[in-house]
């Protein structure tokens, strides 16, 4: 979901917004799912996408990211990106904010992606620095300023050096977030997470699944976790436990999630996520080449890890900690 600057946020005391003033800056928080793009026989599986989006809405997650790394966004055509966006937005019918990932080597190409999607009712865009080029800090600032000029919607920074080859320092992130249109950062580095989480002027969402518990217990605003595709209700509960100071129960629940989380990146993303969803009968495990489906060995390990998760009927902290 989104909260405003006027709403208090201190450590675990995160409150859902009940209304947003038009002039207020909006910032994301909570559990955001970086949605996969379901496929069948080389084409988009739009009914499958709608089922997924509806299930995440019902599970109580706070937002969706589409067309990002986990969504194979860079492998989709302009038309596919548009029809997928339309299908997801229709499925959540305004009850869940949806951000779209945009990214490329060339800043002009990123701005073109924004122009192609800006007619949709999106909550904003998740934007990494240009990949491969490794620009200076001044070049990164220029990049984000140009993308911001291409839309009136909020931007979320995406700091993922292992994919872009370009690391944004805490100082650079702070300076970028001083621009009102840039609302938050998805941070994938443990070092930056530790530095930024206690900065009252920075909204940082954890993009590293293995670090999400530490981030939430430290008072982080939220997470964008590929593993939250599987049993999103448990991730929503984990957030609630952390926010309400029930740290022992949060650690106990995370311990049950950890075996699955550890497998989500055992092979290139999003193959493990799609394989786990396929085991649940939700979508096909198909990925788009050159990405390959998960190996049979990993599928077996995923099935074993999923069998260890608490059943849907478990609701009490005592059961989760058992």
């Amino acid at each position: 979901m989104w909260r405003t600057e006027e709403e208090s946020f201190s450590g675990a005391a995160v409150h859902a917004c009940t209304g947003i003033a038009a002039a207020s800056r909006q910032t994301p928080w909570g559990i955001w799912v970086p949605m996969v793009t379901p496929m069948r026989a080389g084409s988009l599986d739009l009914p499958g996408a709608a089922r997924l989006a509806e299930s995440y809405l019902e599970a109580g997650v706070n937002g969706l990211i589409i067309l990002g790394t986990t969504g194979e966004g860079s492998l989709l055509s302009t038309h596919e990106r548009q029809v997928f966006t339309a299908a997801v937005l229709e499925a959540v019918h305004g009850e869940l904010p949806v951000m779209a990932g945009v990214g490329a080597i060339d800043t002009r190409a990123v701005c073109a992606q924004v122009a192609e999607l800006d007619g949709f009712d999106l909550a904003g865009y998740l934007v990494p620095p240009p990949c491969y080029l490794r620009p200076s800090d001044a070049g990164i600032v220029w990049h984000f300023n140009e993308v911001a000029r291409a839309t009136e919607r909020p931007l979320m920074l995406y700091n993922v050096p292992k994919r872009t080859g370009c690391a944004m320092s805490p100082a650079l992130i702070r300076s970028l977030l001083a621009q009102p249109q840039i609302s938050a950062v998805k941070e994938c580095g443990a070092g930056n997470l530790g530095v930024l989480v206690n900065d009252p002027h920075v909204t940082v969402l954890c993009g590293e699944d293995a670090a999400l518990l530490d981030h939430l217990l430290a008072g982080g605003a939220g997470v964008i976790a590929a593993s939250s595709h599987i049993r999103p209700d448990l991730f929503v509960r984990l957030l609630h436990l952390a926010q309400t100071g029930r740290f022992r129960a949060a650690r106990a629940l995370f311990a049950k999630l950890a075996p699955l989380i550890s497998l989500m990146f055992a092979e290139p993303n999003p193959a493990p996520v799609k394989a786990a969803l396929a085991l649940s009968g939700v979508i096909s495990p198909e990925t788009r080449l050159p990405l390959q489906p998960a190996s049979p060995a990993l599928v077996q390990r995923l099935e074993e890890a999923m069998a260890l998760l608490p059943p849907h009927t478990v609701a009490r902290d005592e059961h989760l900690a058992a």
Side-chain angles (χ1 to χ4, degrees):
M1 295 297 288
W2 295 86
R3 60 181 176 85
T4 66
E5 284 188 330
E6 285 72 21
E7 293 176 295
S8 62
F9 173 75
S10 176
V14 185
H15 303 284
C17 8
T18 56
I20 297 176
S24 299
R25 175 175 171 176
Q26 301 173 8
T27 54
W29 70 275
I31 303 296
W32 285 64
V33 180
M35 265 189 69
V36 297
T37 300
M39 299 178 184
R40 288 187 183 275
S43 298
L44 301 188
D45 175 12
L46 297 180
R51 289 194 301 273
L52 274 182
E54 290 167 355
S55 71
Y56 298 136
L57 174 62
E58 292 170 1
V61 306
N62 302 101
L64 302 176
I65 307 283
I66 59 172
L67 308 177
T69 305
T70 306
E72 300 170 81
S74 61
L75 297 177
L76 305 181
S77 69
T78 296
H79 176 69
E80 286 176 323
R81 290 168 65 86
Q82 291 176 329
V83 297
F84 185 81
T85 299
V88 172
L89 288 173
E90 182 178 354
V92 300
H93 39 83
E95 295 184 30
L96 199 60
V98 179
M99 298 188 77
V102 293
I105 295 176
D106 185 357
T107 302
R108 286 155 284 266
V110 179
C111 293
Q113 291 175 21
V114 168
E116 292 158 358
L117 296 173
D118 222 32
F120 293 100
D121 188 20
L122 291 165
Y125 300 99
L126 177 66
V127 190
C131 61
Y132 186 75
L133 296 178
R134 302 180 69 186
S136 65
D137 283 5
I140 293 172
V141 170
W142 179 86
H143 171 79
F144 283 108
N145 284 341
E146 288 298 299
V147 178
R149 282 160 50 90
T151 179
E152 295 182 356
R153 301 186 188 281
L155 306 183
M156 186 191 301
L157 307 177
Y158 184 15
N159 193 28
V160 56
K162 65 183 178 183
R163 289 190 177 275
T164 63
C166 179
M168 293 192 288
S169 68
L172 177 58
I173 290 169
R174 288 189 182 102
S175 68
L176 288 166
L177 287 172
Q179 181 183 148
Q181 194 174 347
I182 301 179
S183 62
V185 57
K186 176 185 177 182
E187 176 58 62
C188 297
N192 276 13
L193 283 168
V195 172
L196 295 172
V197 69
N198 293 316
D199 188 328
H201 303 294
V202 174
T203 298
V204 55
L205 280 77
C206 177
E208 178 61 47
D209 291 38
L212 68 87
L213 177 66
D214 290 339
H215 183 67
L216 293 177
L217 295 184
V223 302
I224 302 174
S227 51
S228 64
H229 280 86
I230 317 303
R231 294 298 305 280
D233 59 304
L234 295 179
F235 286 83
V236 170
R237 182 155 185 79
L238 184 68
L239 174 72
H240 179 69
L241 292 171
Q243 288 178 345
T244 54
R246 289 179 282 177
F247 295 164
R248 179 176 175 272
R251 291 189 181 96
L253 176 54
F254 187 77
K256 294 181 180 293
L257 290 166
L260 179 65
I261 291 173
S262 70
L263 297 176
M264 285 294 103
F265 297 92
E267 293 179 4
N269 183 40
V273 180
K274 285 189 164 183
L277 289 170
L279 286 169
S280 299
V282 182
I283 63 168
S284 161
E286 182 178 328
T287 54
R288 178 159 288 179
L289 293 169
L291 293 172
Q292 302 288 321
S295 66
L298 179 57
V299 172
Q300 181 176 346
R301 293 173 67 194
L302 286 166
E303 189 169 18
E304 293 168 354
M306 290 169 65
L308 298 175
L309 296 177
H312 284 275
T313 53
V314 171
R316 294 182 60 84
D317 296 349
E318 296 84 359
H319 293 171
L320 292 171

